[in-house]
Amino acid sequence: MDKISMAQKKFIDKNSRRKKRVLFYRILILISFILLWEGATRVGLVDPFIFSSPFRVSKTFAEMAFQGTIFYHIGITLFETLLSFFLITFLGIIMAVILWTNISISEVLEPYLVILNSVPKSALAPVLIVWLGNNMKTIIFAAVTLGIFSTIINVYTGFQEIDNEKIKLIYTFRGTKRDVLTKVVIPGTIPLIISTMKVNIGLSLIGVIIGEFLAANAGLGYLIIYGSQVFKLDWVILSIIILCVLAGSLYYITNMAEKYIKKRF
């Protein structure tokens, strides 16, 4: 028993050291990149007007934070992203359930879902502006169309791959199709749904930024386009950096939610 405990302790220590080493190198790479970027602009290797610099980006963020404008733009993009994410996830699961409960509907709609999922969504953006106007509705709709069809296909495919023996067992005990759905199918596809949600959070952010490029007067996508048009490239670089931070934070939150849900199920 002591030997097993010692082996476990060694394994835990080794794993802890590995995680610390990985974290150290991650931070080292980030700091090195920032220093090289700042140094290259200081000595003239790159043009700070075009590529900006960590100092200029920090100064721009401080100025916009003092005015409150940067937080307003971040809030708009974050709200649109989260709303799009919840709509994609909710509507995607609902549609997958409808297809699973009615084979005829799924056989009819399946080729259309595949086609719609393959259509480049950026090609639809100009049409959406004409249909819905130059407003937030267009942005949300553009983001939803980017991820909903793949969500429907993935979740529906997961429903179909549930073990038939488990389904037969429910019917053996005189269960209904609703019992099969709620007690076997949905619980059995929770890992797949979570994986799809992790993809959807990124797709939602991408869709929102594409929408803001074309139909927005606020948000980080708007700042990128407007900044490039008036040659305020510090705004552009700052917005891109914030988008990276947002994407990482949203992915981390989704991972935490995944761990919590797996513990519950």
Side-chain angles (χ1 to χ4, degrees):
M1 193 71 179
D2 291 337
K3 290 183 179 179
I4 295 174
S5 298
M6 287 297 294
Q8 288 177 337
K9 188 175 183 305
K10 287 182 179 179
F11 174 79
I12 292 171
D13 291 341
K14 183 179 179 181
N15 192 49
S16 178
R17 287 195 299 270
R18 182 184 64 81
K19 288 182 178 180
K20 289 178 181 178
R21 188 165 60 249
V22 169
L23 179 61
F24 170 77
Y25 283 120
R26 286 176 177 175
I27 295 173
L28 179 63
I29 290 172
L30 178 61
I31 293 174
S32 300
F33 173 75
I34 293 172
L35 291 176
L36 285 172
W37 181 14
E38 182 67 36
T41 58
R42 295 281 178 149
V43 299
L45 290 177
V46 296
D47 189 345
F49 176 75
I50 297 175
F51 294 96
S52 192
S53 69
F55 175 76
R56 289 169 65 108
V57 169
S58 301
K59 183 180 177 182
T60 301
F61 177 79
E63 291 172 353
M64 297 182 75
F66 179 76
Q67 297 168 356
T69 55
I70 191 63
F71 300 117
Y72 171 71
H73 290 294
I74 292 172
I76 292 292
T77 298
L78 190 58
F79 171 76
E80 292 168 344
T81 300
L82 292 177
L83 180 57
S84 303
F85 169 72
F86 286 120
L87 286 174
I88 290 171
T89 304
F90 177 74
L91 295 176
I93 293 173
I94 293 297
M95 283 300 301
V97 169
I98 293 172
L99 295 177
W100 180 83
T101 54
N102 195 313
I103 300 299
S104 298
I105 294 178
S106 67
E107 290 176 346
V108 171
L109 295 183
E110 186 173 1
Y112 293 101
L113 290 172
V114 173
I115 292 170
L116 289 171
N117 187 49
S118 304
V119 172
K121 306 307 182 293
S122 56
L124 299 175
V127 181
L128 294 178
I129 294 174
V130 176
W131 288 348
L132 301 175
N134 190 21
N135 50 46
M136 188 179 291
K137 289 187 293 185
T138 300
I139 299 169
I140 299 298
F141 196 86
V144 170
T145 56
L146 192 64
I148 190 168
F149 301 112
S150 60
T151 299
I152 295 170
I153 293 170
N154 290 337
V155 175
Y156 174 61
T157 302
F159 286 175
Q160 289 180 308
E161 293 176 352
I162 293 295
D163 188 359
N164 283 328
E165 296 301 321
K166 294 180 180 179
I167 295 175
K168 289 177 182 178
L169 183 63
I170 295 292
Y171 286 134
T172 300
F173 288 99
R174 297 183 179 180
T176 63
K177 199 160 191 175
R178 181 178 178 180
D179 294 323
V180 174
L181 178 67
T182 57
K183 293 178 170 58
V184 176
V185 175
I186 291 181
T189 52
I190 288 294
L192 174 64
I193 292 173
I194 294 173
S195 297
T196 304
M197 289 171 64
K198 290 168 72 175
V199 175
N200 284 346
I201 195 68
L203 289 177
S204 299
L205 185 58
I206 293 169
V208 163
I209 296 304
I210 292 173
E212 287 181 348
F213 282 169
L214 300 169
N217 53 16
L220 295 175
Y222 164 78
L223 272 185
I224 292 173
I225 289 296
Y226 181 72
S228 63
Q229 290 173 343
V230 299
F231 293 97
K232 291 189 175 182
L233 298 181
D234 294 334
W235 288 13
V236 176
I237 301 299
L238 174 61
S239 299
I240 293 172
I241 292 172
I242 293 173
L243 281 175
C244 292
V245 174
L246 273 182
S249 300
L250 292 172
Y251 186 80
Y252 175 78
I253 292 170
T254 310
N255 269 339
M256 296 297 292
E258 178 184 16
K259 292 178 182 178
Y260 175 76
I261 292 172
K262 283 183 176 180
K263 287 181 180 178
R264 294 294 300 270
F265 287 91

